[in-house]
Amino acid sequence: MTRTPAYRVCFVCSGNICRSPMGEVILRSLLEEAGLDALVGVTSAGTGGWHEGEGADPRTVRTLDEHGYDGSAHVAHEFLPERFDELDLVLAADLGHVRQLKRWAPTVADQDKVRLMREFDKAAVAAGTLEVDDPWHGGEADFQRCLAEVRGACHGVVAHVAAELAATRR
């Protein structure tokens, strides 16, 4: 019998081969370290289906691996609006994704689930740099920057999810 997680997070970027897979892989690892992995389901998707069924970009997999994360099993998926029903938090890479996801959201409550990834990184909030630029057209440095930004956000997401889970237990 498969148990439904108490809290469900989905990372979203354009094609689900760079930014959102990084978020999915890193958050799963951090949740495991925090002992929350059994309570939280983590997925990722793209706003477009161009890469449906493909693995993550090889540069994404390599960058994750260099930092101790395994992204080799990732399979790209397109985000479908009916997924809102099964999600608690939808984390978008940039404002274009936020706008698209909010247009797709069937209810105001679903719109409220959509947030920028970096809203959970206090340093990014203080600096006003809330978007994660797409590294796809760039090189090694762009993928390294992307990983650092996504990882910073994921630490904040763990704290947010822990607080949400604690609040539901009261």
Side-chain angles (χ1 to χ4, degrees):
M1 180 171 116
T2 304
R3 203 174 119 237
T4 302
Y7 198 88
R8 294 142 320 180
V9 178
C10 183
F11 287 88
V12 179
C13 68
S14 299
N16 192 218
I17 60 169
C18 297
R19 295 170 284 180
S20 58
M22 282 188 185
E24 179 182 358
V25 169
I26 294 168
L27 184 61
R28 280 187 180 159
S29 177
L30 294 175
L31 289 166
E32 186 176 342
E33 288 175 17
L36 296 172
D37 54 311
L39 299 172
V40 184
V42 183
T43 60
S44 65
T47 56
W50 316 283
H51 299 287
E52 183 86 30
E54 296 176 16
D57 184 293
R59 297 167 295 177
T60 298
V61 175
R62 183 175 54 250
T63 303
L64 285 163
D65 185 61
E66 289 170 2
H67 293 271
Y69 303 105
D70 182 5
S72 64
H74 176 74
V75 177
H77 298 284
E78 182 176 5
F79 187 90
L80 301 173
E82 51 268 20
R83 298 238 5 245
F84 277 106
D85 281 347
E86 64 191 46
L87 296 168
D88 299 293
L89 184 61
V90 180
L91 296 171
D94 63 39
L95 288 170
H97 302 127
V98 168
R99 285 189 294 274
Q100 181 64 55
L101 289 162
K102 287 190 177 210
R103 277 194 300 270
W104 288 342
T107 68
V108 172
D110 289 327
Q111 288 177 356
D112 291 343
K113 296 175 184 179
V114 179
R115 309 269 299 274
L116 282 167
M117 287 181 207
R118 295 194 78 200
E119 285 182 43
F120 295 91
D121 180 344
K122 290 178 185 175
V125 171
T129 55
L130 297 180
E131 295 185 273
V132 179
D133 291 331
D134 192 347
W136 193 78
H137 291 289
E140 173 74 18
D142 298 291
F143 279 84
Q144 294 293 334
R145 174 207 34 81
C146 182
L147 184 131
E149 291 175 356
V150 170
R151 185 171 46 202
C154 285
H155 282 286
V157 172
V158 170
H160 172 79
V161 168
E164 291 285 307
L165 289 169
T168 61
R169 291 184 186 149
R170 290 184 193 142

